[in-house]
Amino acid sequence: MNYLLRTVAPRLMLASVALGALAIAAGCVNASGGSSLENDDGRVPNKPRTDAGAVDEDSGAVEPSDAGADARPEEDACADESCNAPPTGCKAFPEAAFCDDFDSADALLPTKTKWDFIEPTEQPVATLSTVRAVSAPHSLLSRVIDGTTPGAKFAKTVTKANFTEVTWSYDVYFDAIGAEDGFFLDDFQFSDAAGPDSFGFRLVMFAQGTAIKELKVEHNQQVTGGDYIIEPALPAGAIELGKWHHFQQKVKFTFENADPAQNKAEYTLRVDGATEPTFQKVYPGATRDQIAFARIAGMPLVFNKERSAGLAIHWDNHVLELK
Protein backbone atom coordinates (compact mmCIF):
# COMPACT_ATOMS: atom_id res chain seq x y z
CA MET A 1 0.00 0.00 0.00
CA ASN A 2 2.70 2.43 0.94
CA TYR A 3 4.56 1.44 -2.19
CA LEU A 4 1.49 2.22 -4.36
CA LEU A 5 1.05 5.67 -2.83
CA ARG A 6 4.70 6.46 -3.33
CA THR A 7 4.38 5.53 -7.02
CA VAL A 8 1.06 7.27 -7.93
CA ALA A 9 1.36 10.53 -5.92
CA PRO A 10 4.16 12.06 -7.98
CA ARG A 11 2.27 11.33 -11.18
CA LEU A 12 -0.85 13.05 -9.86
CA MET A 13 1.19 16.10 -8.90
CA LEU A 14 2.69 16.30 -12.40
CA ALA A 15 -0.77 16.08 -13.98
CA SER A 16 -2.08 18.81 -11.68
CA VAL A 17 0.79 21.15 -12.60
CA ALA A 18 0.23 20.53 -16.32
CA LEU A 19 -3.48 21.27 -16.05
CA GLY A 20 -2.77 24.47 -14.12
CA ALA A 21 -0.38 25.66 -16.81
CA LEU A 22 -2.97 25.03 -19.48
CA ALA A 23 -5.55 27.01 -17.52
CA ILE A 24 -3.16 29.96 -17.15
CA ALA A 25 -2.37 29.90 -20.86
CA ALA A 26 -6.04 29.88 -21.73
CA GLY A 27 -6.65 32.92 -19.54
CA CYS A 28 -3.88 35.03 -21.11
CA VAL A 29 -5.87 36.56 -23.93
CA ASN A 30 -5.70 40.27 -24.75
CA ALA A 31 -8.64 42.62 -25.39
CA SER A 32 -8.57 42.05 -29.10
CA GLY A 33 -9.12 38.35 -28.74
CA GLY A 34 -5.55 37.30 -29.62
CA SER A 35 -3.00 35.62 -27.46
CA SER A 36 -0.60 37.93 -25.73
CA LEU A 37 2.22 35.84 -27.16
CA GLU A 38 1.19 36.74 -30.62
CA ASN A 39 1.71 40.43 -29.98
CA ASP A 40 4.37 40.72 -27.29
CA ASP A 41 7.58 40.43 -29.24
CA GLY A 42 6.75 39.09 -32.66
CA ARG A 43 7.85 35.55 -31.83
CA VAL A 44 4.46 34.35 -33.14
CA PRO A 45 3.70 36.54 -36.18
CA ASN A 46 0.17 37.47 -37.11
CA LYS A 47 -1.14 35.40 -39.98
CA PRO A 48 -1.92 37.39 -43.09
CA ARG A 49 -5.59 37.85 -43.84
CA THR A 50 -6.81 35.59 -46.53
CA ASP A 51 -8.91 36.79 -49.45
CA ALA A 52 -12.59 37.25 -48.76
CA GLY A 53 -14.19 33.87 -48.27
CA ALA A 54 -10.88 31.96 -48.57
CA VAL A 55 -10.02 28.96 -46.44
CA ASP A 56 -7.29 29.23 -43.80
CA GLU A 57 -4.89 26.43 -44.78
CA ASP A 58 -3.86 25.79 -41.17
CA SER A 59 -7.28 25.50 -39.62
CA GLY A 60 -9.56 24.75 -42.53
CA ALA A 61 -11.94 27.44 -41.24
CA VAL A 62 -13.47 30.10 -43.47
CA GLU A 63 -12.47 33.57 -42.30
CA PRO A 64 -15.16 36.22 -42.13
CA SER A 65 -15.24 38.36 -45.26
CA ASP A 66 -15.38 42.15 -45.30
CA ALA A 67 -16.70 42.15 -48.87
CA GLY A 68 -20.08 43.25 -47.62
CA ALA A 69 -18.64 46.50 -46.30
CA ASP A 70 -16.65 47.16 -49.46
CA ALA A 71 -19.58 46.32 -51.71
CA ARG A 72 -21.93 48.86 -50.19
CA PRO A 73 -23.53 50.84 -53.02
CA GLU A 74 -21.69 54.09 -53.54
CA GLU A 75 -23.47 57.38 -53.65
CA ASP A 76 -24.60 58.23 -57.16
CA ALA A 77 -21.79 60.33 -58.62
CA CYS A 78 -24.14 61.48 -61.39
CA ALA A 79 -26.90 62.73 -59.13
CA ASP A 80 -26.68 66.16 -60.79
CA GLU A 81 -26.38 64.63 -64.29
CA SER A 82 -23.01 66.35 -64.75
CA CYS A 83 -21.25 63.21 -65.89
CA ASN A 84 -24.08 62.42 -68.30
CA ALA A 85 -23.77 65.75 -70.10
CA PRO A 86 -23.11 65.42 -73.84
CA PRO A 87 -19.53 66.09 -74.98
CA THR A 88 -18.70 69.58 -76.16
CA GLY A 89 -16.13 71.08 -78.50
CA CYS A 90 -14.05 68.66 -80.54
CA LYS A 91 -14.95 65.77 -78.20
CA ALA A 92 -18.36 65.82 -79.86
CA PHE A 93 -16.80 65.18 -83.28
CA PRO A 94 -14.30 62.33 -82.88
CA GLU A 95 -14.59 61.34 -86.57
CA ALA A 96 -14.07 64.82 -88.02
CA ALA A 97 -11.30 65.29 -90.58
CA PHE A 98 -10.35 68.49 -88.75
CA CYS A 99 -11.52 70.18 -85.58
CA ASP A 100 -10.30 73.01 -83.39
CA ASP A 101 -12.15 74.34 -80.37
CA PHE A 102 -9.16 76.49 -79.34
CA ASP A 103 -9.26 75.09 -75.81
CA SER A 104 -5.58 74.16 -75.78
CA ALA A 105 -3.30 76.88 -74.49
CA ASP A 106 -1.02 76.05 -77.46
CA ALA A 107 -3.78 76.39 -80.07
CA LEU A 108 -2.11 79.31 -81.85
CA LEU A 109 1.57 78.57 -81.28
CA PRO A 110 3.42 78.16 -84.60
CA THR A 111 4.80 74.72 -83.69
CA LYS A 112 1.63 73.46 -82.01
CA THR A 113 -1.33 74.91 -83.90
CA LYS A 114 -3.60 72.71 -86.02
CA TRP A 115 -3.91 75.45 -88.65
CA ASP A 116 -1.69 75.67 -91.72
CA PHE A 117 -1.70 79.46 -91.66
CA ILE A 118 -2.29 82.13 -89.03
CA GLU A 119 -1.64 85.74 -89.97
CA PRO A 120 1.98 86.54 -89.03
CA THR A 121 1.89 89.95 -87.41
CA GLU A 122 2.99 91.64 -84.23
CA GLN A 123 -0.46 93.12 -83.89
CA PRO A 124 -2.85 90.96 -81.84
CA VAL A 125 -5.07 90.09 -84.80
CA ALA A 126 -5.50 86.42 -83.82
CA THR A 127 -5.44 85.61 -80.11
CA LEU A 128 -7.01 83.20 -77.65
CA SER A 129 -9.80 84.75 -75.63
CA THR A 130 -11.47 83.79 -72.35
CA VAL A 131 -14.00 86.61 -72.58
CA ARG A 132 -16.53 84.26 -74.20
CA ALA A 133 -16.59 80.77 -75.63
CA VAL A 134 -19.08 78.10 -76.64
CA SER A 135 -16.70 75.37 -75.45
CA ALA A 136 -14.72 76.70 -72.51
CA PRO A 137 -12.17 77.94 -71.75
CA HIS A 138 -11.08 79.59 -75.01
CA SER A 139 -12.28 80.94 -78.31
CA LEU A 140 -10.31 82.59 -81.11
CA LEU A 141 -10.56 86.38 -81.30
CA SER A 142 -9.75 87.91 -84.69
CA ARG A 143 -9.42 91.69 -85.02
CA VAL A 144 -8.61 94.52 -87.34
CA ILE A 145 -6.67 96.99 -85.23
CA ASP A 146 -6.24 99.88 -87.66
CA GLY A 147 -5.43 100.69 -91.27
CA THR A 148 -1.97 99.12 -90.99
CA THR A 149 -3.28 95.71 -89.95
CA PRO A 150 -2.00 93.22 -92.55
CA GLY A 151 -4.98 90.92 -92.12
CA ALA A 152 -6.47 88.42 -89.69
CA LYS A 153 -6.57 85.24 -91.77
CA PHE A 154 -6.35 81.67 -90.47
CA ALA A 155 -6.61 78.68 -92.83
CA LYS A 156 -6.48 74.88 -93.10
CA THR A 157 -6.40 72.47 -96.07
CA VAL A 158 -7.52 68.84 -95.75
CA THR A 159 -7.33 66.15 -98.43
CA LYS A 160 -9.20 62.86 -98.69
CA ALA A 161 -9.50 60.51 -101.63
CA ASN A 162 -12.80 60.47 -103.55
CA PHE A 163 -14.83 62.62 -101.18
CA THR A 164 -18.18 63.83 -102.51
CA GLU A 165 -19.60 65.73 -99.52
CA VAL A 166 -17.98 68.32 -97.27
CA THR A 167 -19.46 70.00 -94.19
CA TRP A 168 -17.89 72.94 -92.40
CA SER A 169 -19.44 74.29 -89.23
CA TYR A 170 -18.38 76.83 -86.64
CA ASP A 171 -19.67 79.18 -83.96
CA VAL A 172 -19.19 82.91 -84.43
CA TYR A 173 -19.86 85.96 -82.27
CA PHE A 174 -19.76 89.41 -83.85
CA ASP A 175 -18.52 91.87 -81.23
CA ALA A 176 -17.97 94.71 -83.73
CA ILE A 177 -17.53 94.85 -87.49
CA GLY A 178 -16.10 98.30 -88.13
CA ALA A 179 -17.83 101.41 -89.40
CA GLU A 180 -18.24 100.80 -93.13
CA ASP A 181 -17.28 98.55 -96.02
CA GLY A 182 -17.01 94.79 -95.93
CA PHE A 183 -14.91 91.65 -95.60
CA PHE A 184 -14.87 87.96 -96.44
CA LEU A 185 -16.05 86.32 -93.26
CA ASP A 186 -14.88 82.96 -94.54
CA ASP A 187 -13.67 81.08 -97.62
CA PHE A 188 -14.63 77.48 -98.50
CA GLN A 189 -12.51 76.24 -101.42
CA PHE A 190 -11.95 72.95 -103.26
CA SER A 191 -9.58 73.47 -106.18
CA ASP A 192 -6.37 75.12 -107.34
CA ALA A 193 -6.71 73.72 -110.87
CA ALA A 194 -7.14 77.19 -112.44
CA GLY A 195 -5.00 79.06 -109.90
CA PRO A 196 -5.22 79.32 -106.12
CA ASP A 197 -8.75 78.99 -104.76
CA SER A 198 -10.50 78.54 -108.11
CA PHE A 199 -13.74 76.80 -107.08
CA GLY A 200 -15.61 77.48 -103.88
CA PHE A 201 -17.95 79.59 -101.79
CA ARG A 202 -17.62 82.61 -99.51
CA LEU A 203 -19.69 84.37 -96.91
CA VAL A 204 -19.28 88.12 -97.32
CA MET A 205 -20.43 90.64 -94.72
CA PHE A 206 -20.92 94.38 -95.05
CA ALA A 207 -21.12 96.97 -92.29
CA GLN A 208 -23.01 100.24 -92.22
CA GLY A 209 -22.72 102.69 -89.36
CA THR A 210 -21.08 100.04 -87.13
CA ALA A 211 -24.09 97.72 -87.66
CA ILE A 212 -24.45 94.65 -89.84
CA LYS A 213 -25.79 95.74 -93.19
CA GLU A 214 -25.96 92.36 -94.92
CA LEU A 215 -24.48 88.90 -95.34
CA LYS A 216 -24.23 87.28 -98.76
CA VAL A 217 -23.14 83.99 -100.31
CA GLU A 218 -20.68 84.36 -103.18
CA HIS A 219 -19.47 81.63 -105.55
CA ASN A 220 -16.20 81.58 -107.51
CA GLN A 221 -15.84 79.04 -110.34
CA GLN A 222 -12.78 79.91 -112.38
CA VAL A 223 -12.05 76.22 -112.88
CA THR A 224 -15.22 75.82 -114.96
CA GLY A 225 -14.87 79.16 -116.76
CA GLY A 226 -18.04 80.43 -115.11
CA ASP A 227 -18.73 83.94 -113.84
CA TYR A 228 -18.27 85.10 -110.27
CA ILE A 229 -21.71 84.92 -108.65
CA ILE A 230 -22.99 87.19 -105.85
CA GLU A 231 -26.24 85.94 -104.37
CA PRO A 232 -28.90 88.18 -102.81
CA ALA A 233 -28.37 89.13 -99.18
CA LEU A 234 -29.77 86.89 -96.48
CA PRO A 235 -32.93 88.17 -94.79
CA ALA A 236 -32.34 91.23 -92.62
CA GLY A 237 -31.96 90.38 -88.95
CA ALA A 238 -30.82 86.80 -89.60
CA ILE A 239 -27.42 87.71 -88.16
CA GLU A 240 -26.98 89.98 -85.13
CA LEU A 241 -24.19 91.66 -83.23
CA GLY A 242 -23.55 90.55 -79.66
CA LYS A 243 -24.88 87.02 -80.11
CA TRP A 244 -23.43 83.58 -80.80
CA HIS A 245 -24.46 82.15 -84.16
CA HIS A 246 -23.85 78.67 -85.52
CA PHE A 247 -23.03 78.45 -89.22
CA GLN A 248 -23.07 75.18 -91.14
CA GLN A 249 -22.10 75.01 -94.81
CA LYS A 250 -22.37 71.81 -96.84
CA VAL A 251 -21.33 71.10 -100.41
CA LYS A 252 -22.39 67.92 -102.21
CA PHE A 253 -20.60 67.09 -105.44
CA THR A 254 -22.02 65.01 -108.27
CA PHE A 255 -19.50 63.74 -110.84
CA GLU A 256 -20.68 62.49 -114.24
CA ASN A 257 -17.53 61.33 -115.98
CA ALA A 258 -19.38 60.47 -119.17
CA ASP A 259 -20.77 64.00 -119.43
CA PRO A 260 -18.81 66.61 -117.41
CA ALA A 261 -21.48 69.18 -118.21
CA GLN A 262 -23.72 67.29 -115.78
CA ASN A 263 -21.33 67.73 -112.83
CA LYS A 264 -23.07 69.50 -109.97
CA ALA A 265 -22.22 71.23 -106.70
CA GLU A 266 -25.09 71.72 -104.26
CA TYR A 267 -24.37 74.37 -101.65
CA THR A 268 -26.42 74.60 -98.44
CA LEU A 269 -26.11 77.14 -95.63
CA ARG A 270 -27.89 76.73 -92.32
CA VAL A 271 -27.75 79.33 -89.55
CA ASP A 272 -28.42 78.46 -85.91
CA GLY A 273 -29.52 74.90 -86.62
CA ALA A 274 -32.50 75.84 -88.77
CA THR A 275 -34.45 72.87 -90.13
CA GLU A 276 -34.94 74.61 -93.46
CA PRO A 277 -31.82 75.86 -95.26
CA THR A 278 -31.06 79.55 -94.83
CA PHE A 279 -29.75 79.40 -98.40
CA GLN A 280 -29.48 76.53 -100.90
CA LYS A 281 -28.61 76.33 -104.58
CA VAL A 282 -27.23 73.88 -107.15
CA TYR A 283 -24.37 75.14 -109.32
CA PRO A 284 -22.48 73.66 -112.27
CA GLY A 285 -19.74 71.48 -110.85
CA ALA A 286 -16.11 70.71 -111.61
CA THR A 287 -14.57 67.34 -112.51
CA ARG A 288 -13.41 64.73 -110.05
CA ASP A 289 -9.76 65.55 -110.81
CA GLN A 290 -10.34 69.25 -110.22
CA ILE A 291 -12.00 68.86 -106.80
CA ALA A 292 -8.90 67.86 -104.86
CA PHE A 293 -9.24 69.10 -101.26
CA ALA A 294 -11.27 71.10 -98.78
CA ARG A 295 -9.73 74.39 -97.68
CA ILE A 296 -11.30 76.54 -94.98
CA ALA A 297 -10.29 80.04 -93.97
CA GLY A 298 -11.59 82.64 -91.57
CA MET A 299 -11.19 86.38 -92.26
CA PRO A 300 -9.32 85.84 -95.56
CA LEU A 301 -9.85 89.37 -96.85
CA VAL A 302 -10.79 92.77 -95.44
CA PHE A 303 -11.64 95.25 -98.21
CA ASN A 304 -10.67 98.44 -96.40
CA LYS A 305 -8.85 97.96 -93.12
CA GLU A 306 -9.01 101.61 -92.11
CA ARG A 307 -12.81 101.67 -92.36
CA SER A 308 -13.00 98.26 -90.70
CA ALA A 309 -10.79 99.26 -87.76
CA GLY A 310 -12.21 97.97 -84.51
CA LEU A 311 -13.60 94.80 -86.07
CA ALA A 312 -13.66 92.01 -83.48
CA ILE A 313 -15.06 88.52 -84.00
CA HIS A 314 -14.94 85.48 -81.71
CA TRP A 315 -14.82 82.01 -83.27
CA ASP A 316 -15.23 78.57 -81.73
CA ASN A 317 -15.55 74.91 -82.70
CA HIS A 318 -14.40 74.79 -86.31
CA VAL A 319 -15.33 71.32 -87.56
CA LEU A 320 -14.61 69.95 -91.04
CA GLU A 321 -16.09 66.63 -92.16
CA LEU A 322 -15.42 64.90 -95.48
CA LYS A 323 -17.40 61.95 -96.83
Side-chain angles (χ1 to χ4, degrees):
M1 183 68 173
N2 291 335
Y3 170 79
L4 181 61
L5 290 174
R6 286 195 302 271
T7 303
V8 173
R11 294 179 182 178
L12 291 174
M13 290 180 64
L14 288 173
S16 176
V17 171
L19 288 174
L22 287 173
I24 292 171
C28 294
V29 177
N30 62 21
S32 63
S35 167
S36 61
L37 290 177
E38 291 183 347
N39 297 313
D40 283 347
D41 56 9
R43 287 174 294 174
V44 183
N46 290 325
K47 295 178 183 178
R49 290 181 65 93
T50 56
D51 291 339
V55 176
D56 186 320
E57 294 179 357
D58 293 337
S59 67
V62 177
E63 292 192 0
S65 168
D66 60 357
D70 293 341
R72 286 195 302 267
E74 297 181 0
E75 293 184 8
D76 187 357
C78 293
D80 61 355
E81 297 298 324
S82 60
C83 63
N84 293 326
T88 61
C90 289
K91 292 180 180 179
F93 301 92
E95 304 300 322
F98 172 80
C99 183
D100 198 355
D101 53 20
F102 306 104
D103 291 338
S104 168
D106 299 334
L108 302 182
L109 294 181
T111 59
K112 299 290 184 66
T113 185
K114 298 179 181 180
W115 298 87
D116 298 329
F117 178 89
I118 298 177
E119 195 73 52
T121 172
E122 294 182 359
Q123 288 186 334
V125 298
T127 57
L128 292 181
S129 171
T130 57
V131 172
R132 57 181 55 87
V134 174
S135 66
H138 302 133
S139 62
L140 169 66
L141 173 60
S142 58
R143 294 189 285 176
V144 174
I145 308 300
D146 53 36
T148 67
T149 296
K153 180 180 178 179
F154 53 99
K156 178 70 177 183
T157 300
V158 175
T159 58
K160 181 179 180 179
N162 301 319
F163 68 87
T164 58
E165 180 178 313
V166 186
T167 303
W168 178 23
S169 62
Y170 58 81
D171 299 300
V172 61
Y173 187 105
F174 298 99
D175 295 78
I177 59 169
E180 299 290 339
D181 223 308
F183 54 93
F184 287 176
L185 176 66
D186 68 26
D187 202 6
F188 199 12
Q189 296 291 319
F190 305 95
S191 182
D192 288 338
D197 297 338
S198 49
F199 188 92
F201 302 87
R202 293 162 176 148
L203 292 180
V204 184
M205 180 168 281
F206 290 87
Q208 186 175 47
T210 70
I212 295 175
K213 178 182 178 183
E214 58 189 17
L215 179 68
K216 297 180 178 181
V217 174
E218 299 188 2
H219 174 46
N220 64 298
Q221 50 182 338
Q222 301 95 308
V223 75
T224 66
D227 295 333
Y228 193 92
I229 298 174
I230 301 175
E231 300 292 354
L234 299 183
I239 310 300
E240 303 176 41
L241 290 175
K243 176 183 177 181
W244 279 107
H245 290 287
H246 182 76
F247 286 5
Q248 183 196 70
Q249 300 173 77
K250 179 178 292 185
V251 181
K252 292 183 178 181
F253 294 98
T254 302
F255 301 107
E256 299 291 345
N257 295 328
D259 185 4
Q262 299 303 311
N263 293 337
K264 304 295 182 184
E266 180 186 79
Y267 173 85
T268 303
L269 168 67
R270 282 185 168 85
V271 176
D272 296 337
T275 302
E276 294 298 318
T278 306
F279 176 84
Q280 186 174 54
K281 185 174 178 178
V282 178
Y283 299 87
T287 66
R288 171 74 278 178
D289 290 342
Q290 292 169 330
I291 302 301
F293 54 76
R295 178 178 296 142
I296 59 175
M299 294 303 300
L301 179 64
V302 178
F303 302 152
N304 186 306
K305 299 182 183 72
E306 185 174 353
R307 285 187 288 187
S308 292
L311 180 150
I313 300 174
H314 282 83
W315 311 75
D316 210 348
N317 301 321
H318 280 268
V319 180
L320 184 64
E321 301 171 281
L322 282 71
K323 299 179 181 179

